[in-house]
Amino acid sequence: SSAKEAVENIEKDFNELICSLEKKRSKIKEQIRAQEKTEIDRTEELHKHLGQELTKLRKRQTEIDKLLNSDDQIRCLK
């Protein structure tokens, strides 16, 4: 009966350990997904910002090209 009780206790302990590990695994997966979403959102926002900056720079480049091709040298220098 002592051996049977020891086996039952070990089974109980292992089942509790497995349950605990599964809960921790689930929490870690949730954390990873949350971090992934945060990084994706941050990356999308940065991409949007860089797209806006690129648009501004292209507009500025077009203005500079027009000025450089202009006959009005004073305006170009300004």
Side-chain angles (χ1 to χ4, degrees):
S1 92
S2 176
K4 183 179 177 183
E5 189 177 318
V7 169
E8 288 174 357
N9 286 339
I10 288 175
E11 284 293 324
K12 180 184 170 200
D13 290 344
F14 272 106
N15 285 334
E16 288 175 1
L17 181 60
I18 289 169
C19 184
S20 175
L21 288 172
E22 287 176 348
K23 286 179 183 178
K24 287 182 188 246
R25 178 180 63 179
S26 180
K27 284 182 182 181
I28 290 170
K29 286 168 94 174
E30 287 177 24
Q31 288 174 343
I32 290 170
R33 287 186 187 118
Q35 287 174 347
E36 179 185 38
K37 183 182 180 330
T38 299
E39 289 302 315
I40 287 172
D41 291 346
R42 189 180 68 82
T43 302
E44 288 174 349
E45 187 62 34
L46 181 60
H47 185 266
K48 179 181 172 183
H49 175 72
L50 290 174
Q52 292 170 346
E53 286 295 316
L54 183 59
T55 300
K56 288 178 187 177
L57 289 172
R58 285 182 177 155
K59 182 180 176 184
R60 185 74 175 143
Q61 179 67 39
T62 301
E63 292 171 0
I64 289 170
D65 288 343
K66 285 180 184 177
L67 288 174
L68 289 174
N69 293 327
S70 167
D71 289 337
D72 188 357
Q73 298 299 319
I74 301 294
R75 185 170 177 229
C76 181
L77 290 174
K78 287 182 182 179

